[in-house]
PDB file of all heavy atoms in Angstrom:
ATOM      1  N   HIS A  37     118.069 102.971 134.897  1.00  0.00           N
ATOM      2  CA  HIS A  37     118.159 103.864 133.728  1.00  0.00           C
ATOM      3  C   HIS A  37     117.617 103.099 132.493  1.00  0.00           C
ATOM      4  O   HIS A  37     117.973 101.978 132.299  1.00  0.00           O
ATOM      5  CB  HIS A  37     119.589 104.349 133.442  1.00  0.00           C
ATOM      6  CG  HIS A  37     119.704 105.224 132.253  1.00  0.00           C
ATOM      7  ND1 HIS A  37     119.539 106.603 132.423  1.00  0.00           N
ATOM      8  CD2 HIS A  37     119.920 104.985 130.963  1.00  0.00           C
ATOM      9  CE1 HIS A  37     119.675 107.147 131.208  1.00  0.00           C
ATOM     10  NE2 HIS A  37     119.873 106.208 130.341  1.00  0.00           N
ATOM     11  N   LEU A  38     116.751 103.817 131.779  1.00  0.00           N
ATOM     12  CA  LEU A  38     116.133 103.207 130.581  1.00  0.00           C
ATOM     13  C   LEU A  38     116.876 103.673 129.286  1.00  0.00           C
ATOM     14  O   LEU A  38     116.984 104.842 129.038  1.00  0.00           O
ATOM     15  CB  LEU A  38     114.690 103.600 130.458  1.00  0.00           C
ATOM     16  CG  LEU A  38     113.725 102.942 131.419  1.00  0.00           C
ATOM     17  CD1 LEU A  38     112.365 103.587 131.294  1.00  0.00           C
ATOM     18  CD2 LEU A  38     113.624 101.459 131.218  1.00  0.00           C
ATOM     19  N   ASP A  39     117.458 102.717 128.565  1.00  0.00           N
ATOM     20  CA  ASP A  39     117.993 102.997 127.266  1.00  0.00           C
ATOM     21  C   ASP A  39     116.891 102.741 126.208  1.00  0.00           C
ATOM     22  O   ASP A  39     116.242 101.710 126.221  1.00  0.00           O
ATOM     23  CB  ASP A  39     119.169 102.050 126.911  1.00  0.00           C
ATOM     24  CG  ASP A  39     120.456 102.426 127.658  1.00  0.00           C
ATOM     25  OD1 ASP A  39     120.506 103.628 128.094  1.00  0.00           O
ATOM     26  OD2 ASP A  39     121.320 101.585 127.833  1.00  0.00           O
ATOM     27  N   VAL A  40     116.672 103.703 125.301  1.00  0.00           N
ATOM     28  CA  VAL A  40     115.734 103.499 124.207  1.00  0.00           C
ATOM     29  C   VAL A  40     116.464 102.913 123.026  1.00  0.00           C
ATOM     30  O   VAL A  40     117.390 103.470 122.526  1.00  0.00           O
ATOM     31  CB  VAL A  40     115.034 104.854 123.839  1.00  0.00           C
ATOM     32  CG1 VAL A  40     114.156 104.696 122.637  1.00  0.00           C
ATOM     33  CG2 VAL A  40     114.281 105.434 124.984  1.00  0.00           C
ATOM     34  N   ILE A  41     115.940 101.782 122.537  1.00  0.00           N
ATOM     35  CA  ILE A  41     116.596 101.058 121.449  1.00  0.00           C
ATOM     36  C   ILE A  41     115.854 101.331 120.098  1.00  0.00           C
ATOM     37  O   ILE A  41     116.461 101.540 119.055  1.00  0.00           O
ATOM     38  CB  ILE A  41     116.635  99.568 121.762  1.00  0.00           C
ATOM     39  CG1 ILE A  41     117.540  99.341 123.035  1.00  0.00           C
ATOM     40  CG2 ILE A  41     117.253  98.808 120.588  1.00  0.00           C
ATOM     41  CD1 ILE A  41     117.541  97.924 123.476  1.00  0.00           C
ATOM     42  N   GLU A  42     114.525 101.218 120.173  1.00  0.00           N
ATOM     43  CA  GLU A  42     113.719 101.449 118.962  1.00  0.00           C
ATOM     44  C   GLU A  42     112.363 102.036 119.392  1.00  0.00           C
ATOM     45  O   GLU A  42     111.974 101.915 120.543  1.00  0.00           O
ATOM     46  CB  GLU A  42     113.407 100.133 118.181  1.00  0.00           C
ATOM     47  CG  GLU A  42     114.595  99.574 117.438  1.00  0.00           C
ATOM     48  CD  GLU A  42     114.898 100.320 116.158  1.00  0.00           C
ATOM     49  OE1 GLU A  42     114.203 101.327 115.863  1.00  0.00           O
ATOM     50  OE2 GLU A  42     115.823  99.861 115.440  1.00  0.00           O
ATOM     51  N   ASP A  43     111.653 102.638 118.471  1.00  0.00           N
ATOM     52  CA  ASP A  43     110.300 103.076 118.747  1.00  0.00           C
ATOM     53  C   ASP A  43     109.469 103.124 117.472  1.00  0.00           C
ATOM     54  O   ASP A  43     110.005 103.040 116.356  1.00  0.00           O
ATOM     55  CB  ASP A  43     110.263 104.451 119.451  1.00  0.00           C
ATOM     56  CG  ASP A  43     110.367 105.592 118.497  1.00  0.00           C
ATOM     57  OD1 ASP A  43     111.077 105.439 117.410  1.00  0.00           O
ATOM     58  OD2 ASP A  43     109.760 106.654 118.748  1.00  0.00           O
ATOM     59  N   ALA A  44     108.167 103.128 117.616  1.00  0.00           N
ATOM     60  CA  ALA A  44     107.241 103.235 116.484  1.00  0.00           C
ATOM     61  C   ALA A  44     105.930 103.881 116.963  1.00  0.00           C
ATOM     62  O   ALA A  44     105.558 103.756 118.128  1.00  0.00           O
ATOM     63  CB  ALA A  44     106.961 101.866 115.880  1.00  0.00           C
ATOM     64  N   ARG A  45     105.310 104.541 116.067  1.00  0.00           N
ATOM     65  CA  ARG A  45     104.035 105.282 116.395  1.00  0.00           C
ATOM     66  C   ARG A  45     103.072 105.137 115.239  1.00  0.00           C
ATOM     67  O   ARG A  45     103.434 105.068 114.066  1.00  0.00           O
ATOM     68  CB  ARG A  45     104.376 106.760 116.679  1.00  0.00           C
ATOM     69  CG  ARG A  45     103.134 107.592 117.014  1.00  0.00           C
ATOM     70  CD  ARG A  45     103.481 109.076 117.232  1.00  0.00           C
ATOM     71  NE  ARG A  45     102.341 109.862 117.513  1.00  0.00           N
ATOM     72  CZ  ARG A  45     101.549 110.428 116.572  1.00  0.00           C
ATOM     73  NH1 ARG A  45     101.794 110.225 115.301  1.00  0.00           N
ATOM     74  NH2 ARG A  45     100.504 111.121 116.919  1.00  0.00           N
ATOM     75  N   ALA A  46     101.749 105.146 115.608  1.00  0.00           N
ATOM     76  CA  ALA A  46     100.712 105.111 114.602  1.00  0.00           C
ATOM     77  C   ALA A  46      99.492 105.953 115.010  1.00  0.00           C
ATOM     78  O   ALA A  46      99.022 105.701 116.139  1.00  0.00           O
ATOM     79  CB  ALA A  46     100.272 103.667 114.354  1.00  0.00           C
ATOM     80  N   PRO A  47      99.037 106.933 114.226  1.00  0.00           N
ATOM     81  CA  PRO A  47      97.889 107.737 114.603  1.00  0.00           C
ATOM     82  C   PRO A  47      96.626 106.815 114.370  1.00  0.00           C
ATOM     83  O   PRO A  47      96.425 106.290 113.261  1.00  0.00           O
ATOM     84  CB  PRO A  47      97.898 108.865 113.664  1.00  0.00           C
ATOM     85  CG  PRO A  47      98.691 108.388 112.474  1.00  0.00           C
ATOM     86  CD  PRO A  47      99.675 107.407 112.975  1.00  0.00           C
ATOM     87  N   LEU A  48      95.797 106.693 115.385  1.00  0.00           N
ATOM     88  CA  LEU A  48      94.657 105.781 115.284  1.00  0.00           C
ATOM     89  C   LEU A  48      93.298 106.484 115.357  1.00  0.00           C
ATOM     90  O   LEU A  48      92.319 106.016 114.801  1.00  0.00           O
ATOM     91  CB  LEU A  48      94.699 104.691 116.415  1.00  0.00           C
ATOM     92  CG  LEU A  48      95.906 103.747 116.356  1.00  0.00           C
ATOM     93  CD1 LEU A  48      95.877 102.806 117.546  1.00  0.00           C
ATOM     94  CD2 LEU A  48      95.926 102.969 115.052  1.00  0.00           C
ATOM     95  N   ARG A  49      93.214 107.541 116.122  1.00  0.00           N
ATOM     96  CA  ARG A  49      91.978 108.319 116.309  1.00  0.00           C
ATOM     97  C   ARG A  49      90.798 107.457 116.854  1.00  0.00           C
ATOM     98  O   ARG A  49      89.668 107.592 116.367  1.00  0.00           O
ATOM     99  CB  ARG A  49      91.585 108.958 114.952  1.00  0.00           C
ATOM    100  CG  ARG A  49      92.602 109.916 114.353  1.00  0.00           C
ATOM    101  CD  ARG A  49      92.732 111.173 115.214  1.00  0.00           C
ATOM    102  NE  ARG A  49      93.419 112.247 114.518  1.00  0.00           N
ATOM    103  CZ  ARG A  49      94.740 112.336 114.530  1.00  0.00           C
ATOM    104  NH1 ARG A  49      95.482 111.454 115.182  1.00  0.00           N
ATOM    105  NH2 ARG A  49      95.346 113.314 113.909  1.00  0.00           N
ATOM    106  N   LEU A  50      91.068 106.624 117.791  1.00  0.00           N
ATOM    107  CA  LEU A  50      90.037 105.710 118.306  1.00  0.00           C
ATOM    108  C   LEU A  50      88.967 106.433 119.008  1.00  0.00           C
ATOM    109  O   LEU A  50      87.794 106.064 119.019  1.00  0.00           O
ATOM    110  CB  LEU A  50      90.672 104.650 119.262  1.00  0.00           C
ATOM    111  CG  LEU A  50      91.655 103.712 118.586  1.00  0.00           C
ATOM    112  CD1 LEU A  50      92.123 102.665 119.588  1.00  0.00           C
ATOM    113  CD2 LEU A  50      91.053 102.998 117.349  1.00  0.00           C
TER     114      LEU A  50
END
Side-chain angles (χ1 to χ4, degrees):
H37 181 87
L38 288 172
D39 286 338
V40 176
I41 299 174
E42 287 284 3
D43 82 327
R45 178 183 178 274
L48 297 177
R49 301 292 194 272
L50 297 184

